[in-house]
Amino acid sequence: MEDGKIKGLLSMAQRAGQVASGDFAAQKALADGKVKLILLAADAAEDTKKMYTRLAARHEVKLCECLTKEELGRCLGKEYRAVAVLLDRGFSEALGKRIQSD
């Protein structure tokens, strides 16, 4: 996986205000129908992974596992994050392609 390009795109999306991160913000964005892609940290707890897998299926949103909680948080200017959701179709498609190609 080309972590550098993924981190760069994610950081750009955050600066553009197109990312919601953390459990509460992610679930609210999902409930509001705003989410285009769910990013889950590879080292997230198994319960968290199961919950977001179910939520992704229920809301018909693609879910990708990438980075660690620390790396995901750092890209977003936070301490650590287990989950982040992209709210913009363009960023989500570009990031999804990067993750899939690796």
Side-chain angles (χ1 to χ4, degrees):
M1 183 181 311
E2 293 181 46
D3 283 353
K5 292 183 180 183
I6 292 169
K7 291 175 184 177
L9 273 169
L10 191 53
S11 294
M12 206 174 358
Q14 173 69 17
R15 287 191 303 273
Q18 298 302 313
V19 177
S21 66
D23 189 45
F24 179 77
Q27 287 193 40
K28 182 173 179 351
L30 277 163
D32 292 345
K34 296 179 180 179
V35 177
K36 308 300 184 225
L37 176 69
I38 300 171
L39 295 174
L40 198 56
D43 60 346
E46 286 304 313
D47 288 345
T48 301
K49 289 181 180 183
K50 288 176 186 175
M51 180 181 69
Y52 278 97
T53 299
R54 284 193 304 269
L55 286 170
R58 182 183 316 146
H59 293 280
E60 298 178 355
V61 176
K62 184 177 178 182
L63 181 140
C64 295
E65 266 189 57
C66 66
L67 308 175
T68 64
K69 291 187 285 190
E70 186 177 325
E71 290 171 326
L72 187 57
R74 198 175 312 127
C75 289
L76 304 173
K78 312 288 184 190
E79 187 173 332
Y80 67 90
R81 288 290 187 258
V83 65
V85 294
L86 286 161
L87 310 174
D88 178 76
R89 185 170 310 285
F91 280 119
S92 65
E93 287 174 1
L95 202 53
K97 286 177 186 176
R98 284 280 181 221
I99 292 168
Q100 226 171 11
S101 69
D102 297 325

